């Protein structure tokens, strides 16, 4: 299963077009318009999914298994630092997490499935807005699940892929179980009493209190986890105070806790809350504490992992990933729709290598055809009945009306 040169050129053009015109979460209007124009001839399109998302549906000749393929659409709020002709034209916004690649691969799979429709079953391709989630903001996947288009739907397989700068271009990494970690974001606000810096005894120093909390939190989390437990704890922002000559009456910090084991997750969340409240009380300070963006881990279905290892060698280089990363993704929520598999697409070659969310992030575009042929093979294997479970086969197949658009 290979792609013709013209097909690869089309994928590269689309990826570069999307890369030049990135859009932030829930504002992906131009992105959606470009995709809708390409997807129109392929099957039924529904636009406006969760605001700016798209849904493409392609049916086989008879009812059968149902596959959902997801690609995220939004860019990241970072300046593109690359010196390439296809660099972002939008100041302060860049596809620094590879979502342009994800959309391009999903389109490529859809085009090949539509050109040779399956004998049975259905393929639904979701272009999801707003995977990048600032503190306290809504998840695009959660918004999609609340949309009427997917409510009460069930699929035999929910597939997705993510660019991975630790793998060579075209390789496909497969995690044995967890593909992404759970993430719990938090904000701690320390409430003190303002005073002149010359008379600090009249105040209660919120900055000093927050400093003690941050230092103690790092030590407490480190001592509350066992050596074999994969955990990442970070304080990412600190702010507070109004003047160099004032004892600050307010300071705040935000951070994240990333874990893989639910028991470890709950243990450390309890430790974090306890330390914050105890440190604030010891310094006679008030405190407000908030959890937000609590995202579960992404778990790969054992059956789909086995299917990938059975179907993909010979098509692409398959890499077994025994140690899961501590990155997170709201693809985790889509596991509610059926067994899921989230694979890692290697992007490093003549280009690529910069970390995700870096302004220098780029990919070797030889990854594009590899991603397409891998996801197409997995999709067709599920449609051909490779999985024993068939929870979606009772979803009635509807005839394809080429170019139909439901706004």
């Amino acid at each position: 299963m290979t792609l013709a040169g013209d097909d690869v050129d089309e994928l590269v053009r689309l990826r570069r077009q999307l890369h030049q015109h990135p859009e932030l979460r829930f504002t992906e209007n131009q992105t959606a318009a470009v995709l809708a124009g390409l997807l129109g001839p392929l099957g039924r399109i529904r636009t406006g999914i969760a605001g700016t998302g798209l849904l493409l549906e392609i049916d086989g000749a008879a009812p059968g298994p149902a596959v959902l393929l997801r690609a995220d659409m939004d860019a990241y709020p970072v300046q593109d630092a690359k010196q390439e002709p296809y660099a972002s034209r939008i100041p302060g916004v860049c596809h620094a997490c590879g979502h342009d690649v994800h959309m391009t691969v999903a389109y490529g799979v859809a085009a090949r499935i539509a050109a040779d429709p399956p004998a049975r079953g259905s393929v639904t391709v979701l272009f999801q807005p707003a995977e990048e989630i600032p503190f306290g903001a809504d998840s695009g996947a959660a918004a999609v699940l609340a949309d009427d288009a997917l409510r009460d739907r069930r699929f035999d397989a929910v597939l997705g892929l993510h660019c991975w700068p630790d793998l060579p271009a075209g390789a496909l990494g497969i995690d044995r179980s967890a593909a992404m970690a759970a993430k719990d974001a938090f904000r701690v606000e320390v409430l003190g009493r303002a005073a002149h810096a010359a008379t600090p005894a009249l105040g209660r120093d919120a900055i000093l209190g927050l400093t003690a909390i941050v230092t103690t939190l790092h030590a407490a989390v480190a001592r509350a986890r066992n050596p074999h437990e994969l955990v990442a704890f970070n304080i990412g922002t600190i702010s507070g105070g109004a003047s160099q000559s004032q004892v600050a009456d307010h300071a705040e910090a935000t951070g994240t806790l990333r874990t893989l084991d639910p028991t470890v997750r709950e243990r450390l969340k309890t430790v974090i809350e306890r330390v914050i409240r105890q440190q604030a009380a010891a310094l006679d300070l008030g405190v407000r504490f908030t959890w937000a963006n609590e995202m579960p881990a992404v778990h790969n279905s054992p059956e789909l992992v086995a299917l990938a290892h059975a179907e993909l060698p010979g098509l692409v280089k398959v890499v077994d990933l025994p140690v899961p990363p501590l990155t997170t993704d709201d693809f985790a929520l889509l596991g509610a729709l059926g067994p899921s598999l989230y694979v890692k697409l290697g992007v490093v070659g003549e280009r690529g290598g910069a970390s995700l969310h870096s302004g220098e992030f780029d990919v070797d575009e030889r990854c594009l055809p590899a991603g397409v042929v891998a996801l197409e093979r997995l999709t067709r294997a599920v449609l051909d009945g490779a999985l024993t479970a068939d929870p979606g086969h009772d979803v009635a197949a509807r005839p394809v009306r080429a170019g139909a658009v439901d706004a």
Side-chain angles (χ1 to χ4, degrees):
M1 183 189 294
T2 59
L3 269 67
D6 290 346
D7 294 332
V8 175
D9 290 343
E10 181 186 15
L11 295 175
V12 170
R13 284 194 298 270
L14 175 58
R15 182 259 164 170
R16 294 186 178 189
Q17 179 182 9
L18 294 172
H19 198 86
Q20 285 180 315
H21 303 282
E23 295 173 293
L24 295 176
R25 47 182 280 111
F26 289 128
T27 67
E28 306 94 337
N29 297 293
Q30 181 178 352
T31 302
V34 168
L35 292 171
L38 293 170
L39 299 172
L42 305 183
R44 295 188 310 280
I45 300 177
R46 294 189 61 170
T47 61
I49 304 299
T52 51
L54 295 168
L55 206 65
L56 169 71
E57 295 185 275
I58 304 170
D59 293 324
V67 177
L68 175 67
L69 175 61
R70 175 267 208 169
D72 33 15
M73 303 169 66
D74 55 324
Y76 195 73
V78 65
Q79 179 66 36
D80 194 339
K82 296 187 299 297
Q83 301 300 315
E84 298 286 351
Y86 54 82
S88 171
R89 298 179 181 179
I90 310 301
V93 183
C94 176
H95 272 298
C97 205
H99 296 186
D100 53 335
V101 171
H102 305 170
M103 289 183 282
T104 301
V105 168
Y107 162 71
V109 175
R112 288 171 66 86
I113 295 289
D116 183 16
R120 57 192 291 266
S122 64
V123 178
T124 301
V125 186
L126 166 66
F127 293 89
Q128 177 208 304
E131 186 276 326
E132 306 290 355
I133 310 172
F135 184 88
D138 294 329
S139 154
V144 164
L145 291 173
D147 194 286
D148 287 341
L150 285 174
R151 188 173 294 142
D152 299 325
R153 295 281 298 275
R154 182 73 179 166
F155 298 88
D156 296 87
V158 179
L159 306 177
L161 90 175
H162 200 294
C163 288
W164 213 242
D166 297 328
L167 295 173
L172 207 72
I174 302 174
D175 295 280
R176 298 175 183 179
S177 178
M180 294 274 186
K183 182 186 80 171
D184 296 284
F186 62 87
R187 173 188 287 133
V188 53
E189 297 177 83
V190 178
L191 312 174
R193 184 167 67 236
H196 195 285
T199 56
L202 299 178
R204 292 290 182 271
D205 192 340
I207 288 178
L208 180 62
L210 182 57
T211 302
I213 286 172
V214 168
T215 303
T216 307
L217 274 177
H218 276 284
V221 170
R223 298 304 291 171
R225 59 172 289 271
N226 294 309
H228 67 278
E229 294 168 345
L230 290 176
V231 171
F233 175 78
N234 185 61
I235 300 292
T237 69
I238 291 180
S239 62
S243 166
Q244 63 180 3
S245 296
Q246 182 194 61
V247 173
D249 64 353
H250 180 272
E252 69 174 59
T254 62
T256 59
L257 171 69
R258 299 166 188 266
T259 54
L260 292 165
D261 185 291
T263 301
V264 176
R265 182 185 188 188
E266 292 308 312
R267 181 205 313 152
L268 296 182
K269 288 176 71 173
T270 299
V271 168
I272 289 168
E273 291 193 48
R274 183 175 69 243
V275 165
I276 288 171
R277 300 193 190 285
Q278 287 177 345
Q279 286 292 304
L283 295 170
D284 194 20
L285 294 162
V287 66
R288 288 196 292 257
F289 181 78
T290 308
W291 290 107
N293 308 136
E294 296 170 284
M295 189 61 59
V298 176
H299 287 288
N300 284 341
S301 157
E303 291 79 14
L304 287 170
V305 169
L307 182 66
H309 281 291
E311 294 286 337
L312 298 183
L315 280 180
V316 296
K317 176 180 174 60
V318 176
V319 181
D320 176 52
L321 301 176
V323 180
L326 290 170
T327 47
T328 62
D329 196 297
D330 68 359
F331 183 85
L333 301 180
L334 300 180
L337 299 175
S340 62
L341 179 68
Y342 206 36
V343 297
K344 312 293 174 52
L345 178 64
V347 298
V348 181
E350 294 177 1
R351 299 190 183 97
S355 66
L356 299 173
H357 291 184
S358 162
E360 297 179 346
F361 179 79
D362 201 359
V363 305
D364 185 315
E365 288 162 327
R366 288 176 294 180
C367 69
L368 297 171
V372 171
V373 298
L375 286 189
E376 182 191 1
R377 173 62 67 87
L378 288 174
T379 298
R380 291 192 184 276
V382 175
L383 296 175
D384 289 341
L387 300 179
T388 55
D390 196 5
H393 111 247
D394 60 345
V395 179
R398 293 169 288 176
V400 174
R401 294 179 291 115
V405 177
D406 297 325

